[in-house]
Amino acid sequence: MLLTGCIPTLGDPLPRPVAMGRAADGRFRFVVPLCGGETVSAIEVVEHQTERLVWRASRPTRPEIRHGVIVVGDEDGFAEQETPLREPLPSNISVSVRLSSGIEVGRGFLLADVPERFASSGEVDHFGDAVTDDEFREQATGEYC
């Protein structure tokens, strides 16, 4: 018997993508596509190779964060900073974002792949392509929601 199909959680526990860009001040920011009724609950950033926790925050206080735009190290944007960002980000990070639906989404990034020009362009990296936040959300929402 031949059985075919696709189960996105097998082999990839975080199937919905997260894009990375830069805030106007040059800090790194994440854009998380949300499906109907979802909000961001928490974020965790770890050094990819060692899995060392770099930053963890929860209970966003600003609407833009709850709706999927997170600036790394934003101390005022979250009610709880379980692990404050105390040092520069490592060159290779993994991000995991917990959503109100209980789903976790995430992706690994090389910081060198997110150019400085993204701070003024409003673009994000979507697997090597520079796209606007809206283009990324539209594509991801169409594929994952």
Side-chain angles (χ1 to χ4, degrees):
M1 171 187 277
L2 177 64
L3 183 64
T4 62
C6 177
I7 301 174
T9 57
L10 276 181
D12 186 3
L14 305 172
R16 195 182 319 172
V18 172
M20 190 169 188
R22 290 186 183 259
D25 63 6
R27 290 186 296 169
F28 292 95
R29 71 182 175 92
F30 300 111
V31 178
V32 180
L34 303 174
C35 297
E38 289 179 329
T39 58
V40 170
S41 298
I43 182 167
E44 182 174 283
V45 177
V46 298
E47 184 175 14
H48 184 70
Q49 293 175 322
T50 65
E51 296 187 17
R52 178 180 57 88
L53 183 62
V54 176
W55 182 54
R56 181 185 296 155
S58 61
R59 297 185 23 215
T61 58
R62 289 196 202 119
E64 65 270 18
I65 297 171
R66 285 191 300 273
H67 295 121
V69 179
I70 305 162
V71 175
V72 177
D74 182 0
E75 293 181 8
D76 298 326
F78 292 87
E80 292 186 36
Q81 294 274 329
E82 293 90 345
T83 305
L85 183 63
R86 300 269 187 236
E87 57 192 59
L89 289 172
S91 62
N92 190 350
I93 61 172
S94 294
V95 60
S96 178
V97 179
R98 188 173 341 116
L99 304 179
S100 58
S101 61
I103 294 172
E104 285 195 13
V105 299
R107 181 174 157 205
F109 296 92
L110 291 172
L111 298 186
D113 289 345
V114 185
E116 293 282 336
R117 71 174 174 78
F118 279 12
S120 59
S121 72
E123 293 176 317
V124 293
D125 173 77
H126 181 49
F127 296 107
D129 293 327
V131 297
T132 67
D133 289 7
D134 290 340
E135 289 169 331
F136 167 68
R137 285 183 178 164
E138 183 178 316
Q139 181 180 357
T141 300
E143 292 177 11
Y144 295 93
C145 295

